[in-house]
Amino acid sequence: MTMASSPFAAIESSALARRRPPRAPRKGEQTRAAIVETALELAARDGLEGLTIGALAERMRMSKSGVFAHFGSREDLQIAVLKAYERRFVDEVLLPGLKERRGLPRLRAIFERWIDRTAIEAARGCIWISGATEYDDRPGAVREELVAMVRSWQRELSRAIQQAVETGDLPVGLDVQELLFQLYGVILVLHHDGRLLGSPDAVVRARRSFDRLVDSYRQTARPAPAKKRTNVRTVKTGR
């Protein structure tokens, strides 16, 4: 497992790859992709720990050995599902947001898409959020992969916040990690209220929370220090 394979860490290289003429996938690659797609659906519903080779083979109408031919172990399958989920997240949330102007427009676009995706996943389950519960105290390769992905996403969000500071849309001296913490909290509450409580206004509240957070940081911006006035007069001398 190599963390460098993360789409977050290789956005530019993946963009270059997309410019090359696409190669027709081989039959084995097509089968593997179909297995991962089905596994994504099952993992969203049952969690990564609920994902089994047997259930997947039955759903795909394949033998267990047929599934094992593409994934050497259940752990390999779980990691493949995580990677597929991350690629989809990058394509749907991050990359479209990067088309907006650096600063608050970009940060807002990214967060809006994150809200929209979370609202959809509140109905079917979010692999990252459920995975955090499943693997918060379970060591191993799956947990390491999940942690690396979430940290990569947080770095991208932190970069968007920092750019908003650099463009003057957010105040200098803003605690980037504090705002990141608060924005992440909004998403977690949105998923909680939307999935567990079935709250019909969770999305609206999430969007309002973003606006209130941004406004609160703007209002608490420190004004530029006033220049000290002096009573000493400048004496002009002529020669």
Side-chain angles (χ1 to χ4, degrees):
M1 178 186 64
T2 58
M3 300 305 177
S5 62
S6 167
F8 289 115
I11 292 176
E12 291 185 3
S13 61
S14 63
L16 290 173
R18 282 194 289 270
R19 295 174 191 169
R20 299 174 187 144
R23 176 180 62 81
R26 300 185 179 89
K27 184 177 180 181
E29 294 173 340
Q30 292 176 333
T31 302
R32 178 186 170 89
I35 292 173
V36 171
E37 183 66 26
T38 301
L40 268 169
E41 296 177 12
L42 294 176
R45 186 190 69 189
D46 304 326
L48 286 168
E49 279 301 298
L51 185 61
T52 65
I53 298 292
L56 187 56
E58 182 178 352
R59 181 76 174 270
M60 293 292 299
R61 296 183 179 179
M62 295 174 61
S63 64
K64 290 183 181 181
S65 60
V67 175
F68 264 116
H70 296 277
F71 305 94
S73 67
R74 178 168 169 263
E75 186 177 80
D76 290 342
L77 171 63
Q78 291 168 323
I79 290 176
V81 167
L82 278 173
K83 289 180 180 295
Y85 178 89
E86 184 185 36
R87 284 192 296 271
R88 188 170 297 179
F89 188 94
V90 169
D91 289 342
E92 295 181 7
V93 176
L94 181 60
L95 292 181
L98 294 180
K99 296 177 182 178
E100 299 296 328
R101 176 182 71 80
R102 285 190 175 194
L104 191 55
R106 178 175 294 184
L107 177 61
R108 185 183 296 277
I110 291 173
F111 197 73
E112 283 283 344
R113 287 183 173 275
W114 195 12
I115 286 176
D116 291 341
R117 183 175 177 86
T118 303
I120 293 173
E121 291 181 335
R124 67 190 184 197
C126 173
I127 291 176
W128 273 0
I129 293 178
S130 63
T133 301
E134 292 179 289
Y135 296 96
D136 58 353
D137 61 350
R138 186 191 298 267
V142 178
R143 183 184 190 278
E144 291 174 5
E145 189 75 28
L146 177 59
V147 169
M149 288 177 180
V150 173
R151 284 180 174 164
S152 294
W153 167 232
Q154 290 184 343
R155 282 193 295 271
E156 291 297 331
L157 203 56
S158 296
R159 182 177 292 113
I161 295 172
Q162 183 61 44
Q163 289 172 350
V165 173
E166 293 168 356
T167 57
D169 293 337
L170 289 175
V172 175
L174 175 147
D175 188 334
V176 172
Q177 293 306 307
E178 182 72 14
L179 180 52
L180 171 65
F181 185 91
Q182 293 168 325
L183 292 178
Y184 224 100
V186 171
I187 292 297
L188 293 178
V189 173
L190 167 60
H191 186 272
H192 174 275
D193 283 17
R195 184 165 177 79
L196 179 64
L197 305 181
S199 175
D201 58 352
V203 170
V204 175
R205 291 183 183 278
R207 291 198 172 103
R208 285 206 300 257
S209 294
F210 176 87
D211 291 333
R212 280 196 297 268
L213 281 170
V214 169
D215 290 342
S216 69
Y217 279 99
R218 283 173 160 176
Q219 292 169 7
T220 57
R222 295 179 181 177
K227 294 182 178 179
K228 292 183 179 180
R229 300 183 63 181
T230 178
N231 293 325
V232 178
R233 296 180 181 178
T234 302
V235 179
K236 295 183 179 181
T237 60
R239 291 186 180 179

